[in-house]
Amino acid sequence: LDPTPMGWKERDWYLPADSRPLFDRNGNIGPTVWWGGEVVGGWAVRPDGNIATRLLVDRGEAAVRAVRDAADELQSRLDGTPVVPSFPTPLEKELRTA
């Protein structure tokens, strides 16, 4: 659990306008993608070990490339190890099954 998005009451300045897909039913935030000091999306590990990402905010091609590169690096580090959260967020559920 990331203390930054979990610990601040006034957090609208770094969350997407619609941040609901990033939070589980208990208000815990799932894995997030940050760019330029703001949360712009989320990510999940699929059952096959692949990393899936979704940007909820358009920050241009540089952000897309950086997220893709980071996901590739994380995927190689996990080396197929499954990551299954106890309380997945709506975005995690969607990405894991897409």
Side-chain angles (χ1 to χ4, degrees), residues 43 45 49 51 69-83:
W43 61 276
V45 180
I51 304 292
D69 291 347
D72 289 345
E73 181 182 338
L74 177 59
Q75 185 171 317
S76 70
R77 293 175 87 196
L78 289 175
D79 193 30
T81 302
V83 177

Side-chain angles (χ1 to χ4, degrees), residues 4 6 11 13 23-24 34 58 64 67 70 77 80 83 96 98:
T4 301
M6 296 291 296
R11 54 188 173 199
W13 60 276
F23 290 88
D24 71 13
W34 289 73
D58 181 3
V64 170
V67 169
R77 293 175 87 196
V83 177
R96 278 200 326 260

Side-chain angles (χ1 to χ4, degrees), residues 21-75:
L22 299 170
F23 290 88
D24 71 13
R25 66 179 182 257
N26 298 314
N28 300 309
I29 198 162
T32 54
V33 173
W34 289 73
W35 178 260
E38 65 178 327
V39 176
V40 295
W43 61 276
V45 180
R46 293 187 173 141
D48 64 3
N50 287 318
I51 304 292
T53 63
R54 166 123 359 105
L55 296 181
L56 302 173
V57 179
D58 181 3
R59 292 297 179 252
E61 187 57 35
V64 170
R65 279 192 309 271
V67 169
R68 186 175 44 239
D69 291 347
D72 289 345
E73 181 182 338
L74 177 59
Q75 185 171 317

